[in-house]
Amino acid sequence: MKKLLFTLLVLPRMFVYGQTESDHTPKLWTEADRTYTVDNMVRTRNELVKETEHLTPEQWAFRESPDRWSIGEIVEHLALWEIIWAREVSMGSRSTPQPELNKTSRPDSYYTDYIMEEAPHVSPDFSRPTGFIRGKDNLTFFVKLRDQTIQFIQTTQADMRAHFELTATPNPRNMHQVYLFQWGHVDRHLKQIRKVKAHPNYPK
């Protein structure tokens, strides 16, 4: 009886373990991809902190002209996009993997080239800064959200090159490409912040 009970307990476990290994599919999103993404998320966060953490209230609020954003508004805009990106990744990474979409999707370089092009981009209404958050609070807002994203990237087991957003569109992005946009977006606006700081009327 003991031998029979042992067999009944062990066999299901052997079946599960064997099934897990035989069904294992190598991930498209490699550990090198994860490291690259984390490194750039950390790098752009740190560069934004370095550029803004010691600004005075006057420097945060300075505008090159009435139609241009202040540094405070730029950083608020970046924080709003952190929320938007996080929502896209949350929805995409919980959807059914569709790795076959990589065969017809755009290459990574398309997204890095687009986000850093010299042509101006027009922000959609939902990501335009309100101007209600003052000074360094904008940076606190951004850093809190970015740190949450970094922690998620470091621990997620989702295959970020197999999960896609907006799969009914001609060229959906996989989640790794969403991350390219996310950290590249900060690089783009770091250039804008440095331009504001180089203005001859920028408060000293």
Side-chain angles (χ1 to χ4, degrees):
M1 177 62 74
K2 289 183 178 179
K3 188 173 182 179
L4 176 62
L5 180 60
F6 175 80
T7 302
L8 291 172
L9 289 172
V10 171
L11 275 178
R13 295 183 184 181
M14 291 174 64
F15 174 74
V16 169
Y17 292 153
Q19 186 179 45
T20 300
E21 290 185 12
S22 63
D23 290 348
H24 177 70
T25 303
K27 288 185 177 180
L28 299 175
W29 198 58
T30 65
E31 287 304 309
D33 285 333
R34 187 197 302 271
T35 299
Y36 175 77
T37 304
V38 169
D39 287 349
N40 279 289
M41 289 288 184
V42 170
R43 176 186 62 78
T44 51
R45 179 201 63 192
N46 291 350
E47 287 188 28
L48 186 65
V49 170
K50 182 179 178 181
E51 288 289 345
T52 63
E53 65 178 336
H54 298 304
L55 299 185
T56 66
E58 293 76 20
Q59 290 170 330
W60 277 108
F62 173 77
R63 293 169 178 265
E64 298 168 273
S65 61
D67 62 328
R68 302 292 293 171
W69 290 350
S70 67
I71 294 177
E73 288 170 320
I74 295 168
V75 179
E76 183 190 354
H77 168 75
L78 290 173
L80 291 171
W81 269 110
E82 291 291 301
I83 298 173
I84 297 163
W85 301 128
R87 181 177 183 273
E88 290 191 22
V89 170
S90 176
M91 294 175 65
S93 61
R94 288 180 290 147
S95 65
T96 302
Q98 294 181 263
E100 67 278 4
L101 292 178
N102 283 294
K103 296 177 182 178
T104 55
S105 64
R106 291 184 171 116
D108 291 354
S109 59
Y110 170 86
Y111 298 99
T112 54
D113 291 346
Y114 171 77
I115 200 66
M116 292 305 291
E117 67 180 3
E118 292 299 327
H121 291 180
V122 178
S123 175
D125 289 342
F126 56 76
S127 67
R128 296 185 68 82
T130 65
F132 296 149
I133 305 176
R134 301 300 179 185
K136 196 172 182 178
D137 290 344
N138 291 289
L139 183 61
T140 302
F141 181 26
F142 170 86
V143 169
K144 179 177 177 60
L145 296 167
R146 174 55 64 90
D147 286 348
Q148 291 173 351
T149 292
I150 292 169
Q151 183 178 21
F152 176 77
I153 297 169
Q154 289 172 328
T155 58
T156 184
Q157 296 305 303
D159 188 341
M160 294 305 195
R161 287 194 182 273
H163 290 275
F164 282 76
E165 62 169 2
L166 305 175
T167 54
T169 60
N171 301 108
R173 297 179 294 200
N174 63 46
M175 296 300 100
H176 179 75
Q177 292 170 336
V178 171
Y179 283 141
L180 294 177
F181 256 0
Q182 185 167 356
W183 60 258
H185 185 231
V186 178
D187 269 330
R188 181 178 181 86
H189 284 288
L190 279 165
K191 290 173 63 178
Q192 183 183 5
I193 288 170
R194 291 167 184 142
K195 181 174 177 289
V196 173
K197 294 172 75 174
H199 192 277
N201 294 331
Y202 180 72
K204 302 303 181 184

